[in-house]
């Protein structure tokens, strides 16, 4: 990995984590896979990320064992990306960073999304803990729901439009109804 | 912030968090302040970070409201850094990333450190939850204790040596007994 040499003198786990997911844009790509984005053109439309950067990030995440690649079409060749077990375990880090910004770097609009613990039908608190069962909910038990900030969202790419309705984390988004980017 | 323009099209909280703490080395500096490091020379000795990079990261973290700077000596001028309330709230993100690497990017040695919930005297689980009281423990209720990996640690800078004994998070490390770097 690109950052390995820089952190080589660091034995701590945080340094190892940053070697794998500390590159610019990487955690935003990972977050999008939690939200159900699977295909290159959809990541690109949702993240406004340069094509070469997205290609490099996806390849690095596959190499790091965070994502796995699956061919879904041969002609022309097209791949889908999904989280491995290693990648799914990044949810608490993605959630914690987002919650921190929600509270301490607030936007005027409020939270775009809330996360509900599906078995209990309760929105988890800012530590990720369900107020009913007191478990810290893993990603596969969470449903993303639009929060108050969604009313001010101006993005109109297919992924942003699809995410305006409740959606279970890790399940692929159905983007067939939405207009595809050119 | 340097990353602001790149993520400008992103309305989500995760993107705002990464604008402030997503630069290389930044979260390692923040982690060190949780561990009790306060002074420039001690960050430098512990992180092996280039002087100019450390200067830039500390200035950016002060500007972002994550750290506050305090002059502790006038001649020559020397500053100390401490976490603001905003900075302290980053603990769950630092912890989550480190726990992820411990489990999925393991080193042969095992965890360098464990974190115990002081009121209950129990080591928290990998979600940060105390097995006794079931609270997700905030940083100011945690004591860092050496884990099994500490036996193989080869670093001999004053901070690494001081961190071989139990230490309450956020309390300044006493480095007076340890040899100072040249």
């Amino acid at each position: 990995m690109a950052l390995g040499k820089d952190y080589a003198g660091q034995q701590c786990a945080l340094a190892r984590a940053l070697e794998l997911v500390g590159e610019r844009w990487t955690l935003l790509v990972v977050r999008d896979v939690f939200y159900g984005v699977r295909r290159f053109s959809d990541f690109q439309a949702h993240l406004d990320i340069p094509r070469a950067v997205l290609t490099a990030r996806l390849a690095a995440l596959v190499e790091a064992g965070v994502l796995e690649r699956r061919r879904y079409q041969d002609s022309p060749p097209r791949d889908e990306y999904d989280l491995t077990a290693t990648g799914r375990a990044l949810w608490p880090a993605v959630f914690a960073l987002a919650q921190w910004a929600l509270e301490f770097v607030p936007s005027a609009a409020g939270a775009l999304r809330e996360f509900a613990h599906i078995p209990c039908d309760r929105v988890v608190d800012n530590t990720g803990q369900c107020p009913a069962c007191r478990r810290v909910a893993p990603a596969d038990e969470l449903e993303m729901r639009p929060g108050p900030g969604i009313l001010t969202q101006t993005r109109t790419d297919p992924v942003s439009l699809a995410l305006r309705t409740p959606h279970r984390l890790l399940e692929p988004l159905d983007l067939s109804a939405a207009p595809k980017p050119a």
Side-chain angles (χ1 to χ4, degrees), chain A residues 90-100 115 124-129 142:
Chain A
L90 276 169
W91 176 251
V94 168
F95 180 82
L97 277 166
Q99 290 297 310
W100 174 75
F115 299 92
V124 300
D125 69 16
N126 67 357
T127 69
Q129 194 171 29
L142 289 173

Side-chain angles (χ1 to χ4, degrees), chain A residues 67-147:
Chain A
L67 296 183
E68 59 191 357
R69 191 177 357 229
R70 267 195 310 258
R71 177 124 317 169
Y72 70 89
Q73 176 184 299
D74 281 323
S75 168
R78 291 284 182 269
D79 296 319
E80 284 186 330
Y81 297 85
D82 201 353
L83 290 157
T84 62
T86 297
R88 288 175 181 220
L90 276 169
W91 176 251
V94 168
F95 180 82
L97 277 166
Q99 290 297 310
W100 174 75
L102 267 179
E103 191 167 353
F104 292 97
V105 201
S107 76
L112 276 185
R113 319 189 196 289
E114 297 176 337
F115 299 92
H117 191 216
I118 296 168
C120 302
D121 195 27
R122 295 283 295 278
V123 173
V124 300
D125 69 16
N126 67 357
T127 69
Q129 194 171 29
C130 171
C133 71
R134 304 200 66 188
R135 286 187 63 213
V136 176
D140 60 1
E141 296 180 11
L142 289 173
E143 181 178 73
M144 184 172 54
R145 299 173 178 174

